[in-house]
């Protein structure tokens, strides 16, 4: 098998949301880019069908996606702004209320489908001179002081000044670079499904801390919501008939939106918290789930990944023009820039998970008091919301 070698400034492994956005952002900065994935991240949906994978995109990331020319490519009718957020503790009659107007923002973020965002990123990528290689398996990665080399199973060889690992929580590139990870597998499993509801959701994201876990209802367009249930007993939910699931989910949310009707099959996925031992290696930067995973309670996983890309692109843009983009000193600036944000988000979601996964009366009382506190202290509430709006 003859080896064909192609040279790039940057090779990105992983073409899903974070990898595709990195390819776009860096190609638009003038770098030559290749993006490689062993399978296509595009999701084929029947006409009018809804994707059960939903993301909450922060206002800051939405603005960035607009700058990249991606946001405009999505059907605006399938994007729902979040105007308010309400969080109930298990004994609180009064929810903790977050309102966009409290922080002089247009909204608290947007709910959209994974498939729509992926397609929009893909469509924008087609307008650029980016080499997209799909359906190719990696054979090996070599990282040295001079260059990064990706050997593909079909004999092709790609070399670059910088390689980016965007290949998910079980990152192959991270393993090839001999970077370890600290992993916490939560006892909870996430169950997601979309529902049609009887009453208008008023663009409010709702979250309940219930005995069996954490229930979130995220507003979709029309009278629809996306449910995310973080539970220790997913098998109980998955075993229900659709009619029983409708009733149980409606009941768990206090019948706030009246009768419910499931429109996508329930899907379960494991919940993990994970940190790579480092975000960089020789000529390598990790982004997205390859670098870190958080409990999806706050819907921040993809937002953190996008912020990784923003930070990396900024570091490369601001470096000394004579500096090599794969230089260890340049990449260290990226790692430093991301540490605080990642730790803060992991600390918040992990701490909340711990506080709400307890049966101890004292902790339960404290967390319910903690939920009611921000309502009484506008400054504290604004500080919490600012964190979520990044």
């Amino acid at each position: 098998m003859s080896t064909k070698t192609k040279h790039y400034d940057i090779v990105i492994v992983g073409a899903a949301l974070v990898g595709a956005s990195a390819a776009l952002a860096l190609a638009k900065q003038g770098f030559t880019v290749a993006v490689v994935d062993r399978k296509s991240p595009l999701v084929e949906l029947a006409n009018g069908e809804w994707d059960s994978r939903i993301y909450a995109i922060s206002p800051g990331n939405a603005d960035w996606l607009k700058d990249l020319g991606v946001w405009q490519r999505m059907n605006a009718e399938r994007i729902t702004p979040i105007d308010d957020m309400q969080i109930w503790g298990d004994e609180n009659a009064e929810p903790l209320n977050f309102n966009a107007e409290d922080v002089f923002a247009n909204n608290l973020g947007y709910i959209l489908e994974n498939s729509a965002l992926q397609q929009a990123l893909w469509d924008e990528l087609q307008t650029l001179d980016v080499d997209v290689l799909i359906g190719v398996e990696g054979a090996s990665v070599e990282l040295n002081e001079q260059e990064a080399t990706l050997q593909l199973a079909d004999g092709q060889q790609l070399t670059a000044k910088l390689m980016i690992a965007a290949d998910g929580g079980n990152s192959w590139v991270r393993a090839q670079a001999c970077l370890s990870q600290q992993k916490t597998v939560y006892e909870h499993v996430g169950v997601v499904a979309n529902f049609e509801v009887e009453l208008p959701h008023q663009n409010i994201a709702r979250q309940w801390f219930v005995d069996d876990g954490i229930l979130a209802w995220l507003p979709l367009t029309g009278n629809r919501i996306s449910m995310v249930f973080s539970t220790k007993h997913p098998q109980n939910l998955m075993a229900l008939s659709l009619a029983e699931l409708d009733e149980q989910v409606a009941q768990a949310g206090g019948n706030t939106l009246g009768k419910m009707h499931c429109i996508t099959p329930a899907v379960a996925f494991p919940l993990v918290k994970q940190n790579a031992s480092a975000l960089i290696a020789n000529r390598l930067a990790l982004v997205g789930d390859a670098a870190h995973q958080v409990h999806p309670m706050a819907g921040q996983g993809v937002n953190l990944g996008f912020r990784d890309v923003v930070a990396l692109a900024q570091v490369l843009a601001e470096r000394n023009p004579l500096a090599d983009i794969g230089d260890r000193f340049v990449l260290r600036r990226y790692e430093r820039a991301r540490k605080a944000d990642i730790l803060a988000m992991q600390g918040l979601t992990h701490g909340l998970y711990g506080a709400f996964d307890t049966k101890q009366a004292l902790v339960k009382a404290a967390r319910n008091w903690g939920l009611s506190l921000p309502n009484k202290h506008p400054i504290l509430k604004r500080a919490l919301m600012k964190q979520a709006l990044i």
Side-chain angles (χ1 to χ4, degrees), residues 145 161-162 280-283 316 319 323-333:
E145 298 296 332
K161 294 174 188 167
L162 172 65
I280 61 167
N282 264 344
R283 299 197 170 271
L316 296 185
R319 79 190 195 286
D324 182 331
I325 56 172
D327 185 282
R328 186 65 88 127
F329 290 107
V330 173
L331 297 181
R332 271 206 194 116
R333 284 182 51 215

Side-chain angles (χ1 to χ4, degrees), residues 157-179:
Q157 198 177 59
L158 312 182
T159 66
K161 294 174 188 167
L162 172 65
M163 186 177 289
I164 296 174
D167 54 342
N170 297 320
S171 170
W172 172 77
V173 177
R174 185 183 63 215
Q176 288 279 308
C178 297
L179 293 175

Side-chain angles (χ1 to χ4, degrees), residues 31-42:
F31 296 113
T32 58
V33 177
V35 60
V36 181
D37 205 317
R38 58 195 176 84
K39 63 180 199 305
S40 170
L42 297 176

